[in-house]
Amino acid sequence: MKELIPAGALAGLLFAALWASASVATKFGVQSVHPLILANVRFFIAGGGMLLFAYGIQRTQNAWPTRVEWRQLAIFALLNTTIYLGAFVLALKQVSAGIGSLSTATNPLFIALLSALWLRRMPRWNELGGLLLGLLGVGIATYPLLQNSYATVEGLLILLIGVVSISLATVYYANINWRLPNLVINGWQVLLGGFQLLPFTILVAVLDPTAFSTSHYDLRFWMSVLWLILPVSVGALQLWFYLVKQDAIRASLWLFLCPIFGFAYSYLLMGEPISLYTATGTGLVIGGLWLGRK
């Protein structure tokens, strides 16, 4: 019997819905604590929890990294967790949640260009057309938000650094024949990313002690951490690894939906309006996804 919704499409939709929620959850969290505290707490709990489940409960066999795999995990963690997510939480202290969601949609263009250079795989005409159509849709949908939202040049530059980093991480991940299970890879890269971020967190604490003394570990903080760990760090990244293993460029097309989901979350939780621009952009994004997956 033919599936009503293909497994890949269902995984892509669920990934976009969960990944888009990170902007609003992070925005709430950084209102209580310094961004790097939020990031480190998230990384250590999420990474440690996934590894405890993989090794202690699932009792995964032959899943301890080799010397080469340690190096691969460290590089992936640096790009995917330390730089990207570290930059993301820092930027959301200075830009709106909507702009944070918008930054996610620029990843496919970087991934396509990097894939062409690194993997020697030129995008097909329909994939390139889907990318351009999706970018146009995202631009239209986010136009009012860009016009009316608060942002600083520093915050936007930090976001750009993060976007380039996660695009590099995606291409790097797709270029490696991973032996380890997805849960083990995810657990180690999140935990290692936390350790690699820790020196910067300590440096900030030394240079600006007030940034940490004014932090409040209240319910808002812990709810933000919990959401960022379970649905985002565990759920969304597992889905992302599955999609990237199928095809890095096609997987990147699902990122176009993240700002659309982000608008819905911002409307429901932060009072940002949904306009005709949003509806028009959504239609173009869906068209880009259809074209890119032909």
Side-chain angles (χ1 to χ4, degrees):
M1 183 177 178
K2 189 175 181 181
E3 295 178 302
L4 293 178
I5 301 179
L10 185 61
L13 286 170
L14 185 57
F15 160 75
L18 293 176
W19 197 247
S21 68
S23 291
V24 173
T26 301
K27 193 68 177 179
F28 279 122
V30 298
Q31 293 176 28
S32 297
V33 301
H34 189 275
L36 293 185
I37 292 180
L38 178 66
N40 267 128
V41 171
R42 171 190 176 185
F43 298 159
F44 288 140
I45 295 178
M50 283 186 280
L51 293 174
L52 179 62
F53 182 82
Y55 292 120
I57 298 176
Q58 285 190 337
R59 298 189 180 278
T60 307
Q61 300 296 320
N62 301 318
W64 194 259
T66 64
R67 181 179 298 180
V68 173
E69 288 170 336
W70 278 122
R71 183 175 69 251
Q72 293 170 339
L73 286 167
I75 294 172
F76 184 50
L78 179 66
L79 295 171
N80 194 72
T81 298
T82 307
I83 298 178
Y84 167 58
L85 292 177
F88 189 76
V89 296
L90 284 172
L92 281 185
K93 191 70 175 178
Q94 303 184 46
V95 303
S96 72
I99 292 178
S101 295
L102 170 68
S103 70
T104 306
T106 63
N107 289 4
L109 182 58
F110 286 101
I111 291 171
L113 294 176
L114 290 171
S115 293
L117 296 173
W118 194 338
L119 302 179
R120 298 178 182 178
R121 180 200 186 283
M122 292 298 295
R124 293 182 288 271
W125 73 267
N126 61 298
E127 292 172 336
L128 186 58
L131 289 170
L132 295 175
L133 191 60
L135 282 175
L136 177 61
V138 168
I140 292 174
T142 55
Y143 175 76
L145 185 62
L146 289 172
Q147 293 296 307
N148 301 315
S149 294
Y150 169 78
T152 65
V153 174
E154 181 183 0
L156 294 175
L157 288 176
I158 294 172
L159 270 181
L160 177 61
I161 291 171
V163 168
V164 173
S165 184
I166 194 175
S167 301
L168 282 169
T170 301
V171 177
Y172 179 78
Y173 178 86
N175 199 34
I176 292 176
N177 185 20
W178 294 95
R179 175 189 63 89
L180 300 171
N182 282 349
L183 185 62
V184 173
I185 295 171
N186 196 10
W188 279 119
Q189 70 93 13
V190 171
L191 187 63
L192 290 173
F195 280 115
Q196 291 174 142
L197 181 66
L198 190 58
F200 298 97
T201 306
I202 295 173
L203 180 62
V204 170
V206 172
L207 296 177
D208 186 13
T210 60
F212 287 77
S213 62
T214 56
S215 294
H216 303 286
Y217 303 95
D218 50 19
L219 180 62
R220 180 174 57 189
F221 164 73
W222 287 111
M223 290 298 291
S224 173
V225 169
L226 183 64
W227 185 266
L228 289 170
I229 288 174
L230 295 179
V232 179
S233 287
V234 178
L237 281 179
Q238 289 296 108
L239 291 167
W240 179 243
F241 292 154
Y242 167 78
L243 293 167
V244 169
K245 278 190 174 181
Q246 307 305 308
D247 189 302
I249 291 182
R250 291 196 176 195
S252 69
L253 292 170
W254 292 107
L255 294 169
F256 283 134
L257 284 182
C258 290
I260 309 305
F261 280 108
F263 286 136
Y265 301 145
S266 298
Y267 170 76
L268 293 172
L269 300 174
M270 308 189 80
E272 294 183 1
I274 294 180
S275 65
L276 180 61
Y277 288 96
T278 309
T280 303
T282 300
L284 290 174
V285 168
I286 293 173
L289 287 168
W290 175 83
L291 179 62
R293 294 178 60 82
K294 283 183 62 179

